[in-house]
Amino acid sequence: MIRLILVATFVVLFLILSIPLLIFEYFLGKWAPAAKDKSSLAIVKWAFRCVLFLSGVSVTAIGEENVPKDIPVLYIGNHRSYFDIVMTYVRVPRPTGYIAKIGMLKVPLLSSWMKNLHCLFLDRKDIKQGMKTILTAVEKVKTDVSICIFPEGSRCTEPDTFLPFRGGSFKIAEKSGCPIIPMSINNADQVWEAHLPKIKKTHVVIEYGRPIYIKDLDKEQKRRIDDTVQSIIKEMYFKNKEFV
């Protein structure tokens, strides 16, 4: 339980003590949006690294050279833990917005930082609002911001299984022309979800696949882009099981 207490204490203190930073970031964004993006990214990466350290999480990253540094991308990954966000965000090379559940808007201060980082909030029960969120994500990509989404729609709790990928997620790449980066995450649920409420020292493997451009796929691959990308992630996931 000590790790949970340390992490919870750090997160609460960070959110409270960062209020002056949020105010500074607000005014910085009025005058220099690019500088705000850079500073917000650095601040949150530092906080997330502290969370991983306190949690005892070590990460082996494979294929980071596959992630373009000079253009925005759409990260698509499997989802087993809240820590998926923490572990992957510290590795992004540029401003990146995550698509989160709309319920996150109710968390004070945390939601403010998420907005600073271009995160979007999706109500999966409202189809019209969901499409609006996807279109907003397309506009984010066109303004040089990467997007990360976990298209299973929820954390998968069954070992070595995957929920169906929701096809709407891939509209972001289709309409913006950005590359898709398949992202497999192994063992993340063993950090916390597999033995709530304890946080345990865990080794996680993340692999980034080669960029996929929808325009380069054949007709069948485009039609079944959700299955195409999921099959790539599954292949990486099961290959990496031996390393965790």
Side-chain angles (χ1 to χ4, degrees):
M1 289 294 289
I2 186 64
R3 294 186 190 277
L4 176 64
I5 294 170
L6 288 173
V7 170
T9 301
F10 173 81
V11 170
V12 170
L13 287 176
F14 170 78
L15 291 176
I16 294 173
L17 296 176
S18 68
I19 291 175
L21 284 174
L22 279 172
I23 296 172
F24 172 78
E25 293 287 285
Y26 172 80
F27 287 106
L28 179 62
K30 294 290 185 181
W31 300 101
K36 175 189 174 183
D37 283 348
K38 187 175 180 180
S39 61
S40 290
L41 183 66
I43 291 167
V44 174
K45 276 188 170 185
W46 172 82
F48 281 176
R49 288 191 186 102
C50 290
V51 168
L52 293 176
F53 174 77
L54 294 172
S55 302
V57 174
S58 63
V59 177
T60 296
I62 303 170
E64 285 189 285
E65 69 278 4
N66 290 325
V67 182
K69 307 297 188 296
D70 56 342
I71 56 172
V73 304
L74 173 65
Y75 296 96
I76 295 286
N78 61 302
H79 192 27
R80 297 190 181 278
S81 172
Y82 285 115
F83 276 81
D84 293 338
I85 298 161
V86 180
M87 292 182 293
T88 57
Y89 201 86
V90 297
R91 316 198 81 85
V92 298
R94 59 190 301 109
T96 302
Y98 280 56
I99 295 184
K101 293 180 179 180
I102 198 166
M104 297 299 294
L105 275 173
K106 298 178 181 179
V107 183
L109 300 178
L110 176 60
S111 58
S112 298
W113 278 110
M114 292 177 73
K115 290 175 184 177
N116 274 4
L117 298 169
H118 302 281
C119 293
L120 301 173
F121 303 90
L122 179 64
D123 184 354
R124 297 190 183 276
K125 295 179 181 179
D126 186 335
I127 296 177
K128 185 176 180 181
Q129 189 274 342
M131 182 53 65
K132 184 177 179 180
T133 301
I134 295 298
L135 293 176
T136 302
V138 172
E139 293 306 311
K140 290 283 188 184
V141 173
K142 290 180 178 179
T143 58
D144 222 25
V145 175
S146 293
I147 294 292
C148 180
I149 189 168
F150 300 105
E152 288 169 293
S154 182
R155 287 170 293 127
C156 183
T157 58
E158 293 296 323
D160 298 338
T161 60
F162 291 74
L163 299 176
F165 278 11
R166 305 191 182 199
S169 307
F170 299 90
K171 294 291 183 183
I172 300 169
E174 180 183 332
K175 293 183 177 296
S176 69
C178 76
I180 296 169
I181 301 297
M183 185 171 64
S184 73
I185 306 173
N186 284 74
N187 216 36
D189 59 320
Q190 295 302 315
V191 179
W192 190 39
E193 281 80 359
H195 38 70
L196 292 171
K198 295 181 180 179
I199 291 177
K200 292 188 176 181
K201 185 176 181 180
T202 306
H203 176 231
V204 176
V205 176
I206 300 173
E207 181 168 1
Y208 300 88
R210 294 179 180 177
I212 300 170
Y213 289 87
I214 291 182
K215 63 180 178 64
D216 294 336
L217 301 178
D218 61 39
K219 186 176 180 180
E220 181 63 15
Q221 288 175 320
K222 288 179 181 177
R223 188 178 71 84
R224 302 187 62 185
I225 183 64
D226 49 348
D227 293 332
T228 299
V229 174
Q230 189 181 67
S231 66
I232 293 171
I233 293 173
K234 282 182 176 180
E235 182 179 353
M236 294 189 295
Y237 176 89
F238 288 108
K239 178 196 68 174
N240 294 328
K241 274 180 64 64
E242 64 180 292
F243 301 123
V244 297

